[in-house]
Amino acid sequence: MGDLTHSDALKVGDEARLVVETLHHVTPRAEIVAVITSSDRPIPGFNIDPIVGENATHEFELIRERIQNQLSGSEPLGSFTWTISRTEWGVLVEPIELLDGQIVGALLVARHGRVWSQREISIVRAFSGLFGKVASQTTREGVLLHQRRLDELVSQVAERLMSATAATRREVLAWTTRVLAEFLDSDVALLRRNDHVRGLSILEAEWPIRTGFVGPDPLGEVRFDADPLFMATKDLREPYLPGMEDATDEYLARLEAGAGSTLLAGAAVPLLMGDTTWGVLGFIHFELRSWKRAEINALQAVASMLVQLQARIDAEERTAYIALHDDLTDLPNRRALLRELKLRRAAHRDTAVLIIDLDRFKVMNDFLGHANGDRLLITIADRIRTSIRVNDYCARLGGDEFVVLLDEANSEMEVQASAYRLLELVAAPVDLGGQLVSHTASIGIAIADSVSTMTDSDILAAADGAMYVAKARGRNKAILLDEEMRAALEDRSRMELMLREALEKDELRLHFQPEVDLRTGRLLSVEALVRWQHPDRGLMAAADFITVAEETGLVLTIGRWVFAEACRQLSAWMKEYPELPLVVRVNMSPAEFAATDLVEFVENCLLVNHIPGERLCIEITEYAVVDEPEKTAAILRGFREIGVEVAIDDFGTGFASMTELKHLPVDLLKLDMSFVTGITSDAYDRAIVESIIRLGDVLHLGVTAEGIEQSDVVEELLTLGCHRGQGYLISRPVGPEELIPLLSAGRVPLSLLRPAELTLGLASTTF
Ligand code: C2E
Ligand code: MG
Ligand code: MG
């Protein structure tokens, strides 16, 4: 007993006194309320002053003596009625029993002339039970036992909480609440979360679990101000032990109705996450209860473990979220999309896959600056996200590509209609710092229905293919992949495979098509055009495979091979025909401009083969100029520095602006075949050709015509002032051996270009 410190004993005494006072309060007509301890086993702190009515001192002495006798064993302990000085007294005696069963004292309530009601008897019993617990804890064994059980409990809870995951969280919280409630013998245990943004206290776990309500749980989400306890614990920082003095009358009335008791003792410990009270762990007893420091400490330990668990789950969820979402727009990313598509297909949901690609976004991005480009993407992402139906899905694939999955895609017409709605949505102007910008997009659609045998990535590739078709057909369109396109796509992927092999197996060849002076027939240059000696299909023209090469990046390898081969060939010709001032032209795709070492590579090829720069001309398409004007200009300046000429191929089709042209180091414009062919029949084509020739004059650029197939075209070109040209009329592209006669002669016969004049010439000699 001596193990309890003086101050502990004082505290116990305080509590015991409070209990006695409360008991007096709830049994208003009691004349005597006292704790009687056995004289041979005193409990520290329990020798508190009895409450004795004015005229009951004598009776109290008698009653106490009798009970003390009972306690020492001569009489069994129990309640009795006793006539003292001709007055009948109702004496209620309830034992104070330690946890191990020893009786160490009794709680006494007495009054004269009245029988005790059942309710009063049970209240006194509850109070003596409470004394028993307090007394147990004041004994050394009791303290140790309780502490050990608490420690065990805490470590058991710790173990469960450590191994909990997001998936088992609910279950573990329910278990924790239950074991704590059982240990503390609580009537109700609660774990509630505080949603400070919405002002709600939200139930996370409870014990016992209530059932029987219809509709939403009335205690599930409750406004803080709807309940004084929630209000009191909303920003709780320290343990809070509410008792009856904290409860309003109205609250006690509710308690009485609900729990059948007006006694109340609670404990709430906060779950602190930094500065915020994330939630509370609370216990309610519909009886009197005193809380031990050790118990509150244990609850605080559990609370901090709960917070740790929550923090860990939050972090895990955040990581999982980041892994599946795009940083910029917060939309699901490619990985999330693939997962979603898989789920939908596994559930046999007909799904339309729409790939939305912004048209020429790069140009816009460079022009507006990246910050504005990002804002444009975010705005478009928000528009898509908020416009789709609940069961649809949208993701960002990266860059300027978005994907929408449309659910229940059973009518192609509906899918098309949705796609066009999306196009309108994307194209609506966006306000970028006062500047209104609108941006079109192209959409490719593939439908994955339940009978489709395509894999998920096949379907994405198909939608992607359809998107390319949409771009090729002039952009700002939505194209649904049809059978024909699908076959072409399959063909394309087969082609890609074979093309890779072709490079390894050395199946590429170079053919050359001459360009001549249309007035004299003199050979000016040859254009190198790549060919593929295909094992099954025979010799294939560049037009049949160069697009695939460009889209797959293979064009980089092909381009380097072509360039090296063209230089090797030119160097051989220079030795063979030293007098011939022959220029070789090489085509380059915009994709090849992405390589940072392009100019060095070209310079190196020239050096190795001893070729002066001016013997080489590089043909680029107008698109390279339009798409990436700055980068293209930088590379072209590099070419000019090493003396290499630059021609703009297919000129007139790509809408390069005059201003752009003026600032580019370009030497030659090649009139696109489509205008050249129409020059004799179509006034419009003729006007275009004429204006390009004028443009060349003004900018001091050479102009040459490609695709000349008829001699009257030559005539017309000469009339308009264009003196250079190439085309089937003069020569098809041919292998180096076939070119030998032309190289030796250095010219084509004039008769080839102007048969009419030839006829005339012949006639004059005849006559
Ligand atoms: P391009 O540079 O405009 O080449 C002209 C294309 O038109 C060639 O087709 C040529 O065979 C064809 N052609 C020439 N004269 C006539 C004619 O009178 N009538 C008709 N109907 N066609 C004529 P090819 O060789 O299939 O090349 C197609 C395109 O592929 C080329 O257009 C060029 O842009 C690209 N290309 C060709 N070789 C290469 C290369 O080595 N590298 C790169 N990057 N692109 C190449
Ligand atoms: Mg060309
Ligand atoms: Mg061309």
Side-chain angles (χ1 to χ4, degrees), residues 527 529 587 619 621 648-651 670-673 706-707 726:
E527 177 176 5
L529 295 160
N587 293 281
E619 297 192 2
T621 65
I648 297 201
D649 208 346
D650 306 339
F651 192 76
K670 291 189 79 173
L671 281 167
D672 190 69
M673 176 173 163
E706 59 181 343
Q726 72 186 82

Side-chain angles (χ1 to χ4, degrees), residues 90 112 162 176 201 206 235 288 295 316-317 355 443 485 505 517 523 562 570 586 588 592 602 615 698:
H112 72 270
M162 294 304 176
T176 306
S201 163
E206 64 175 350
D235 295 309
L288 286 181
E295 289 172 337
E316 277 165 15
E317 280 175 354
I355 292 194
I443 298 185
M485 283 193 272
K505 293 188 191 158
D517 186 320
L523 179 63
V562 167
L570 176 57
V586 180
M588 264 184 199
E592 295 175 63
V602 167
R615 298 297 286 273
V698 173

